[in-house]
Amino acid sequence: MVERESIDRRSFLQTGLKGAAALAVTAAGAGAAFRLSTDDRVWQIDPWKCVQCGRCETECVLTPSAVDCVHAYDRCGYCNLCFGYVHPNALEQTTAAENQVCPTAAIRRTWIEGPYYEYTIDETLCIGCGKCVKGCVTFGNGSLCLQIRHDRCVHCNICAIARSCPGRAFSRVPARRPYLLKTGGGGGDHGRRWRNPSASS
Amino acid sequence: MTEEREITEKNNQPLDTRGGLVTASAPWAFLQERFPRPDFESGYAPPEAALPAPRGLALEYLDVVVLMAALSLAAFLALKRPSRRSFFLLTLFSLLYLGFWREGCVCPVGSIQNITLVLFDSGSVIPLTVIAFFMLPLLFALWFGRVFCSSVCPLGAAQELVMIRPFNLPAGVIHFLGLLPYVYLGVAVLAAAIGADFLICRYDPFVGFFRMGATLEMLIFGGFILALGTVVGRPYCRFLCPYGVLLKWMSSLSKYHLTTTPSACVRCRLCENSCPFGCLLKPAPERDSEPRSLRIRRLALAGVHPFSHRGGSRSRPPGSHSLIEDSSDGQSGGTRRAGAPGNGPRRD
């Protein structure tokens, strides 16, 4: 007593419409395959576009933010008076905590020779507020820059910081070249604005 | 911003700035090379900044493999070995792996927007994993019905696990709220197409729980959906999820579908009562043919009045009422209910 299933007009129309929609969805997926990238994509900040607004610290879905300050040493001037390190309007020019720019004291200052000091970022303390970056860009070589650290970033489909970045500095970059650092400026290293950390240089 | 623009090759090539022309995108680029690096006499060599690499590509492909395995298992369980316990374990695994471990990104639901963006923005590219995440559940739905939602999708899994005492909503309410996903899908696709925002990701109610951090509004929204989910079966999936719309289209054409057998149905209505999603309609005979004038009017209205297709229960065969009353004492309900997977695909 198998009943032969008769198809009425309504179900014919419904199936037809859904079939067309399903075809469209499949075509969309296939169409997207034309712009295929074999590499994965990760978010990163273009330091040349960064305006140091401070939202990297607050807008990230992670606390503390996945953005940290990174020091491009080959661009640094190794200044004694570093405005990424001390406030320009500090009452006294000492390294006392109240004179330091970094709110978490994540910048460590080490004497090298003569008037030259090395500045190192402690990533465990850095909160990505960008205050030191602002000082360094305004008064210095701009060797400090904010970068997304990929051991912490959870790779949101839409980066919460990117959505509110006033400089539109965020973009997805190939995972093979996951960092965008300023280089050059110092010594004999002129002419190279970008360094590819994974490439041999 | 939102676009996945490739950093053009030009930017990665060495640029000669010695000629005095610095083609920098920021005007202060000139000012940033004021203090030349000193020539150290003590043999100091600058250290390299430690820059941790992102997650490897192999692990991204592993996610695709896990998704495929989970979908295969869900299809096998739904069609061949339906059991609540197996489904529960699979649901729990999906929630822990795709939800809490992978923290919900990229998920098939959100991948709609990546696909849309890449279709409309000529400068963007898309990784293979995102296309795989978009297509795999749809292809499985095309063959095996909607096996993705309850036991593979981390959003569905979260709601499935909190579904403690689901009540059936009236059919009209279900049908009306069921229209919301179409609206959501349209708005989300539009927002992604113009590159404005990824709304589905932004208003994802559960991703905040997966990441253990979200804004207060989204935590409240997610908490509300979870609380509602204890008495209404998977409310986000049924009444908001835009990917569910695509799955529904695919599932309605599926080849091996979980289905009832109308010829063997004794109209005990146990399945209807045990399905928390209102998917099983009351058995009804074929409707009589309508007069020609009414059919023409209905065809004319078909575009503007989509509410009228749920008319199957209007007439019930005589005598079925007593059957329903007799079989609803519940003593044989346990075995039947265990055999009827509550999370099967919708019969539409």
Side-chain angles (χ1 to χ4, degrees):
Chain A
M1 50 175 285
V2 178
E3 288 177 34
R4 183 182 158 78
E5 198 179 335
S6 64
I7 185 162
D8 59 355
R9 182 185 59 229
R10 171 167 292 144
S11 57
F12 172 75
L13 281 176
Q14 278 180 349
T15 314
L17 280 176
K18 284 173 183 169
L23 261 179
V25 171
T26 316
F34 282 108
R35 298 251 191 77
L36 195 63
S37 144
T38 50
D39 199 2
D40 205 25
R41 299 265 144 178
V42 292
W43 290 104
Q44 194 49 275
I45 305 171
D46 183 347
W48 293 96
K49 292 183 181 171
C50 172
V51 294
Q52 304 95 36
C53 63
R55 293 188 201 183
C56 285
E57 179 197 352
T58 54
E59 298 293 318
C60 184
V61 297
L62 299 178
T63 312
S65 165
V67 174
D68 266 1
C69 179
V70 170
H71 195 183
Y73 290 98
D74 51 358
R75 200 183 166 79
C76 181
Y78 293 86
C79 314
N80 183 3
L81 183 60
C82 170
F83 288 115
Y85 183 67
V86 291
H87 273 296
N89 55 355
L91 290 177
E92 293 173 39
Q93 287 187 355
T94 67
T95 59
E98 69 269 23
N99 297 334
Q100 289 187 21
V101 167
C102 184
T104 59
I107 304 181
R108 197 175 64 242
R109 172 178 150 115
T110 324
W111 176 76
I112 301 173
E113 63 178 53
Y116 304 130
Y117 290 83
E118 182 192 85
Y119 297 91
T120 319
I121 313 289
D122 185 348
E123 288 92 10
T124 57
L125 293 177
C126 181
I127 54 173
C129 66
K131 290 192 167 84
C132 60
V133 180
K134 197 173 198 71
C136 184
V137 166
T138 313
F139 300 111
N141 282 357
S143 60
L144 297 170
C145 51
L146 290 175
Q147 291 283 283
I148 297 172
R149 296 190 68 88
H150 292 297
D151 52 343
R152 290 216 297 277
C153 178
V154 294
H155 308 297
C156 302
N157 207 5
I158 175 69
C159 174
I161 317 172
R163 207 164 48 214
S164 62
C165 175
R168 299 175 73 86
F170 281 71
S171 60
R172 284 185 195 257
V173 300
R176 267 169 298 157
R177 302 191 296 268
Y179 293 93
L180 304 171
L181 289 181
K182 292 176 185 172
T183 53
D189 211 3
H190 269 295
R192 286 185 55 233
R193 275 186 57 213
W194 296 98
R195 182 181 54 179
N196 182 354
S198 57
S200 58
S201 56
Chain B
M1 273 298 284
T2 57
E3 59 261 41
E4 302 177 25
R5 291 212 181 276
E6 176 124 36
I7 298 296
T8 53
E9 277 303 310
K10 203 180 76 178
N11 281 348
N12 291 315
Q13 294 293 326
L15 288 177
D16 190 11
T17 56
R18 260 168 291 190
L21 179 70
V22 182
T23 53
S25 51
W28 55 82
F30 289 108
L31 309 174
Q32 289 184 21
E33 300 176 359
R34 285 171 279 212
F35 308 106
R37 200 169 95 196
D39 296 322
F40 296 110
E41 290 164 2
S42 61
Y44 163 82
E48 275 288 312
L51 298 171
R55 198 165 176 265
L57 196 59
L59 286 173
E60 302 288 332
Y61 287 127
L62 177 70
D63 291 345
V64 176
V65 172
V66 167
L67 175 74
M68 196 160 189
L71 282 169
S72 310
L73 188 59
F76 175 75
L77 290 177
L79 298 179
K80 294 288 178 196
R81 297 262 191 286
S83 90
R84 292 303 304 164
R85 192 162 171 273
S86 313
F87 266 116
F88 175 79
L89 291 176
L90 182 60
T91 305
L92 197 62
F93 167 77
S94 302
L95 182 69
L96 291 178
Y97 184 84
L98 293 172
F100 285 101
W101 172 246
R102 290 296 300 120
E103 295 176 327
C105 260
V106 56
C107 73
V109 185
S111 70
I112 297 172
Q113 304 158 116
N114 302 59
I115 297 282
T116 310
L117 182 68
V118 86
L119 287 178
F120 282 90
D121 180 9
S122 57
S124 58
V125 294
I126 190 164
L128 183 63
T129 47
V130 177
I131 293 186
F133 261 74
F134 178 72
M135 291 303 288
L136 275 178
L138 292 176
L139 291 178
F140 268 82
L142 194 56
W143 263 270
F144 307 113
R146 213 183 323 182
V147 293
F148 170 70
C149 297
S150 73
S151 46
V152 182
C153 177
L155 308 181
Q159 296 169 82
E160 184 78 11
L161 293 180
V162 298
M163 193 166 62
I164 298 164
R165 183 81 179 87
F167 293 96
N168 280 325
L169 294 174
V173 174
I174 291 178
H175 190 61
F176 176 72
L177 291 177
L179 296 174
L180 292 180
Y182 290 89
V183 180
Y184 195 11
L185 176 69
V187 173
V189 164
L190 185 65
I194 62 175
D197 204 349
F198 279 12
L199 291 178
I200 302 173
C201 301
R202 187 173 185 175
Y203 297 110
D204 184 331
F206 303 124
V207 76
F209 295 115
F210 297 152
R211 290 185 187 133
M212 307 283 179
T215 59
L216 183 63
E217 304 91 85
M218 290 317 293
L219 278 183
I220 291 172
F221 179 50
F224 170 72
I225 294 279
L226 280 184
L228 188 67
T230 56
V231 289
V232 176
R234 290 203 269 119
Y236 181 82
C237 303
R238 294 158 72 199
F239 307 134
L240 276 176
C241 181
Y243 195 66
V245 173
L246 309 184
L247 286 172
K248 187 176 180 176
W249 292 339
M250 292 293 186
S251 159
S252 64
L253 304 167
S254 61
K255 193 167 166 60
Y256 309 102
H257 212 148
L258 193 65
T259 180
T260 55
T261 47
S263 58
C265 179
V266 296
R267 301 199 172 107
C268 67
R269 297 187 63 184
L270 283 173
C271 61
E272 188 191 316
N273 291 333
S274 67
C275 177
F277 309 115
C279 300
L280 295 148
L281 306 180
K282 287 172 190 153
E286 292 288 321
R287 276 183 302 168
D288 298 332
S289 166
E290 292 169 332
R292 182 176 169 78
S293 59
L294 187 60
R295 278 190 285 171
I296 290 173
R297 261 186 285 157
R298 205 183 278 283
L299 186 61
L301 281 170
V304 288
H305 187 53
F307 296 94
S308 58
H309 82 104
R310 208 175 268 268
S313 59
R314 204 171 293 153
S315 61
R316 186 181 291 154
S320 67
H321 193 66
S322 60
L323 270 176
I324 292 161
E325 292 298 309
D326 289 344
S327 61
S328 62
D329 54 4
Q331 68 179 27
S332 65
T335 52
R336 274 295 288 208
R337 197 164 301 177
N343 50 4
R346 292 176 71 109
R347 205 190 58 174
D348 50 22

